[in-house]
Amino acid sequence: MHSLDAKDIRILAILQKEGRIPMTELAERVGLSTTPCARRVAQMEKSGVISGYGARINAAQVGLTLTVFVFVELAEQSTRAVEDFTRQISAFDEVIECHLMSGSRDILLRIVARDLTAYDRFLERHMMQVSGIRSMTTSFALRPLVQRDTLPLT
């Protein structure tokens, strides 16, 4: 884990919201000159604190209007079973999150699809072909009530 000071936290908070901010403006807003600020950003990139950059895309605006949460119970609870399931499920672009869970359910998936027909097709062509699943429980999201793309750093 990278040790972060107050300036690093401020840099991260700004970059989360404004990833395309010019380095000179970022440096000015955190009270550094450009070179030390750029060094800090480069160090956080190198250490993995900053894992990448990209555009935040509104799923509904690109036609992905259905969000589905699927709880998966594996037939076997072992490291090998989890690794095998993860390898298989990672091939499906519709799966945008996959979490190993505690409790009675082993895995939680967040899946996006254009509509119910597309999800049904995904289920038949992909999920039902994945080995090692004992059961699946599906919930359809009606609408997000809170949705954040940033971490609570401060």
Side-chain angles (χ1 to χ4, degrees), residues 66-73 105 107-111 116 119-120 122-123 127-128 133 135-141:
L66 185 66
T67 300
V68 184
F69 293 93
V70 179
F71 281 105
V72 176
E73 183 183 352
R105 309 266 174 65
I107 307 285
L108 174 63
L109 303 175
R110 183 164 65 117
I111 298 168
L116 196 52
Y119 176 69
D120 181 47
F122 167 77
L123 205 57
M127 288 300 295
M128 290 180 177
I133 295 177
S135 67
M136 293 186 289
T137 304
T138 302
S139 294
F140 297 95

Side-chain angles (χ1 to χ4, degrees), residues 10-59:
R10 181 76 179 126
I11 289 169
L12 292 172
I14 292 168
L15 286 175
Q16 281 189 121
K17 294 178 181 165
E18 304 171 61
R20 294 173 56 144
I21 188 171
M23 189 60 66
T24 53
E25 186 179 337
L26 177 62
E28 182 179 315
R29 286 177 51 187
V30 298
L32 291 170
S33 61
T34 305
T35 301
C37 185
R39 265 194 232 115
R40 285 173 179 258
V41 170
Q43 180 56 40
M44 288 188 283
E45 290 169 347
K46 183 179 176 184
S47 70
V49 171
I50 297 174
S51 60
Y53 297 89
R56 292 185 194 119
I57 299 170
N58 182 316

